[in-house]
Amino acid sequence: WLAALGSPHSRRNFKATAERFLVELGRQGLDLRSATIEDVRDAILAMAPRSQASTVRQHTLRVKSLLSYAHKLGYTLFNAGAAIRPPKEVRNLAKRIVGELDVRDLIRSSRTARDHLLQMLAYSGALRVSELSGLNCDDVIVRGDGRVQVHVLGKGQKERDILLPDQVGRQLAAWCGGRQPDQAVFLTHRGARRLGVRDIHRVVKRSAKRAGLTPKLSPHWLRHAHCSHALYRGAKLPEVQATAGHANASTTSGYLHAMPDTSSADSLNPEVWASDRKPD
């Protein structure tokens, strides 16, 4: 089941969820074969009783995947997860989109040249954090016209190529110049290993703190910012979808709704709320 997952990051998360799920079933004296729908639902809720709906949703989807796989193999007589619905996803994109000047300040607050390039690439290429971590020098392609593009292995093992802005592309090509093709683009400071997902999160958190930005800011916020800012500046929806690697155009269009340009409220008569009364 885990081996069928393409991303190492996904495998780690799915494995951790499955192990916690099996522990909760074991506390009830149950296993995958004996658990009923109610048992499965109780175990999922017991895994993280104080978690947000988004976390419960992820747990539910992963457990459903495990149970479906077990049933397909014939390991279980029925799929106990089929009737369980995950909580509805609440994206709250507008709360996770930072302005262009904030992104500028974040990048300028980078502690090292590596961190500076990493955050420029994360924003300009709308890359997922796992894609940044997995990028090798031979994924950086200098084209005949001098432009630079990166070849990315994304979610679900889907490949895409992203054309970078000239300044970012030149710096990235220079950064990889003379290095081994299969070497990671972003290494730890001593070059011992490639930067992992947690390492990249620490880079962005550190820069956000230095720039005086919200501590909630994460690498994925730069991906959100790219999509929102590009659409606001006139990029076409399919263009943004292709760059970000969204499987569904509705995901991309969500950024249009997150920061609307107009509102029907603009057409209302302001005299309705105009008042000389001061608030209590």
Side-chain angles (χ1 to χ4, degrees):
W1 171 64
L2 291 173
L5 300 172
S7 164
H9 181 60
S10 295
R11 285 196 293 271
R12 286 192 297 271
N13 288 337
F14 275 63
K15 180 181 179 182
T17 298
E19 288 175 343
R20 291 174 65 185
F21 173 66
L22 293 174
V23 166
E24 291 300 332
L25 285 183
R27 288 176 178 171
Q28 303 176 49
L30 303 167
D31 57 21
L32 286 183
R33 285 175 166 158
S34 59
T36 65
I37 295 173
E38 291 76 14
D39 296 329
V40 170
R41 186 180 288 112
D42 290 344
I44 292 173
L45 293 176
M47 287 164 61
R50 298 181 182 178
S51 295
Q52 297 180 347
S54 58
T55 302
V56 178
R57 176 180 171 81
Q58 290 300 317
H59 287 165
T60 304
L61 291 172
R62 293 167 189 165
V63 168
K64 283 171 66 70
S65 173
L66 172 63
L67 294 171
S68 176
Y69 188 81
H71 181 57
K72 286 179 181 178
L73 289 181
Y75 183 78
T76 57
L77 294 177
F78 72 101
N79 183 358
I84 298 177
R85 293 186 179 182
K88 186 177 180 181
E89 183 177 19
V90 180
R91 300 187 73 199
N92 283 331
L93 273 178
K95 296 180 180 180
R96 289 178 281 151
I97 296 176
V98 293
E100 291 177 332
L101 295 181
D102 288 335
V103 175
R104 180 204 64 183
D105 291 345
L106 178 80
I107 293 172
R108 288 182 177 179
S109 297
S110 303
R111 193 173 67 176
T112 65
R114 181 205 65 185
D115 296 354
H116 187 268
L117 179 60
L118 185 150
Q119 292 179 121
M120 281 203 305
L121 182 59
Y123 174 65
S124 64
L127 295 179
R128 299 179 177 92
V129 64
S130 58
E131 295 167 352
L132 285 165
S133 175
L135 204 64
N136 291 333
C137 286
D138 59 356
D139 295 320
V140 179
I141 303 165
V142 181
R143 309 191 324 183
D145 60 1
R147 297 290 301 274
V148 176
Q149 66 186 50
V150 290
H151 183 75
V152 176
L153 185 62
K155 201 172 182 179
Q157 296 293 288
K158 293 182 179 179
E159 301 178 51
R160 70 184 191 279
D161 287 277
I162 302 167
L163 183 63
L164 298 174
D166 286 340
Q167 181 179 352
V168 179
R170 287 195 303 270
Q171 290 190 37
L172 182 61
W175 180 263
C176 290
R179 295 167 61 184
Q180 294 298 317
D182 60 348
Q183 188 177 46
V185 172
F186 298 110
L187 298 166
T188 55
H189 288 306
R190 296 184 179 180
R193 59 176 177 82
R194 74 172 61 239
L195 284 187
V197 170
R198 291 183 179 179
D199 298 317
I200 295 173
H201 272 276
R202 281 193 288 267
V203 167
V204 174
K205 295 287 186 185
R206 184 167 57 229
S207 294
K209 184 177 181 179
R210 288 163 63 93
L213 301 173
T214 172
K216 294 181 180 180
L217 202 151
S218 73
H220 208 71
W221 284 39
L222 294 176
R223 177 173 163 84
H224 293 319
H226 172 109
C227 296
S228 175
H229 298 169
L231 289 169
Y232 180 77
R233 287 187 170 272
K236 294 179 175 62
L237 200 65
E239 192 175 37
V240 177
Q241 180 184 358
T243 299
H246 290 148
N248 196 315
S250 63
T251 302
T252 314
S253 65
Y255 291 93
L256 291 171
H257 305 299
M259 296 184 69
D261 292 327
T262 61
S263 167
S264 59
D266 295 335
S267 301
L268 298 176
N269 184 354
E271 292 297 324
V272 172
W273 53 82
S275 174
D276 293 332
R277 180 182 176 182
K278 296 181 181 180
D280 295 334

